[in-house]
C-alpha cells in the first residue's frame, strides 16, 4: 500500500544522523515541538511524538505509536505498534514495550514492566543459587523426618 500521508516536524526539533521518519499511510506522522531524536532512530508511519520528547540512539518504533509530551526513551528501546507511552513516562534502555505505559510511569526490561518490579526480580535472581541450596537442604530434612516417622511405632488401642 503506498504511503500517501505526510510528515510534520514542528519547531526546534533536532534529528540525529541516520534517523528514519516514515511518512504516514494516509494521515500524518508528527514530531512535536522541541523534541530531540538521537542517531539511528526509526520513527514508523503514523507515529505521534509529543512536545519535548527525548529519544536516544537506536530506538525503533512500530506503526501508530503515540509518545506523550516530555517522555524519555533510553537507548535501543523497541515499541510495538499501536502502543501509547504517556506524558513524562520514562522507558529504560533496551526495553521492549509491548503494552501502553501510563503517564509518569518508569518501565524497563523485556517485556517492559514497572521499574520497581524489575529491580525486585533482579535482586531475587541474584539470590537464586543460595535459595536453591536452602530448598535442597530443606528437602533433605523433610526426607529425614519422614523416615523417622515411618520407623516410629504407631500409637493406638492395640498397643
Amino acid at each position: 500500500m503506498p504511503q500517501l500521508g505526510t510528515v510534520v516536524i514542528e519547531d526546534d526539533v533536532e534529528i540525529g544522523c541516520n534517523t528514519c521518519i516514515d511518512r504516514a499511510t494516509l494521515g500524518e506522522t508528527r514530531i512535536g515541538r522541541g523534541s530531540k531524536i538521537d542517531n539511528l532512530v526509526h520513527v514508523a508511519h503514523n507515529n505521534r511524538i509529543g512536545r519535548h520528547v527525548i529519544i536516544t540512539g537506536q530506538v525503533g518504533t512500530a506503526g501508530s505509536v503515540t509518545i506523550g509530551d516530555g517522555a524519555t526513551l533510553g537507548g535501543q528501546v523497541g515499541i510495538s505498534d499501536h502502543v501509547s507511552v504517556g506524558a513524562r513516562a520514562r522507558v529504560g534502555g533496551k526495553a521492549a514495550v509491548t503494552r501502553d505505559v501510563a503517564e509518569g510511569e518508569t518501565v524497563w526490561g523485556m517485556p517492559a514492566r514497572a521499574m520497581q518490579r524489575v529491580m525486585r526480580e533482579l535482586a531475587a535472581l541474584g539470590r537464586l543459587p543460595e535459595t536453591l541450596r536452602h530448598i535442597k537442604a530443606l528437602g533433605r530434612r523433610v526426607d529425614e523426618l519422614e523416615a523417622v516417622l515411618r520407623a516410629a511405632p504407631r500409637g493406638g488401642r492395640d498397643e
Side-chain angles (χ1 to χ4, degrees):
M1 178 173 189
Q3 306 296 93
L4 302 174
T6 62
V7 173
V8 176
I9 299 173
E10 296 181 2
D11 293 337
D12 299 320
V13 171
E14 293 181 20
I15 300 171
C17 300
N18 296 317
T19 289
C20 179
I21 301 173
D22 294 347
R23 72 181 351 188
T25 305
L26 295 172
E28 68 180 23
T29 297
R30 179 174 289 272
I31 312 296
R33 178 184 179 93
S35 291
K36 310 296 183 215
I37 301 175
D38 201 359
N39 304 324
L40 299 166
V41 172
H42 179 243
V43 178
H45 61 277
N46 295 73
N47 279 197
R48 298 192 63 78
I49 296 175
R51 296 185 328 245
H52 304 288
V53 171
I54 297 174
I55 300 176
T56 61
Q58 297 182 332
V59 168
T61 62
S64 301
V65 166
T66 301
I67 301 172
D69 295 344
T72 303
L73 307 180
Q76 296 183 338
V77 165
I79 303 178
S80 296
D81 58 321
H82 301 279
V83 168
S84 292
V85 175
R88 297 177 317 285
R90 293 176 303 269
V91 180
K94 293 191 176 186
V97 182
T98 58
R99 295 185 180 152
D100 290 350
V101 177
E103 183 175 319
E105 186 176 15
T106 301
V107 297
W108 186 44
M110 289 186 193
R113 51 211 186 277
M115 182 69 137
Q116 289 176 328
R117 175 180 170 187
V118 174
M119 298 307 278
R120 283 193 307 271
E121 290 170 358
L122 289 173
L125 187 60
R127 293 187 307 268
L128 187 58
E130 159 189 323
T131 302
L132 289 174
R133 280 192 298 276
H134 186 67
I135 290 170
K136 285 180 185 178
L138 288 173
R140 285 191 299 272
R141 185 86 191 273
V142 167
D143 291 344
E144 291 169 6
L145 291 171
E146 286 177 342
V148 168
L149 287 175
R150 278 193 300 272
R154 300 195 189 257
R157 292 187 196 180
D158 296 342
E159 293 180 24

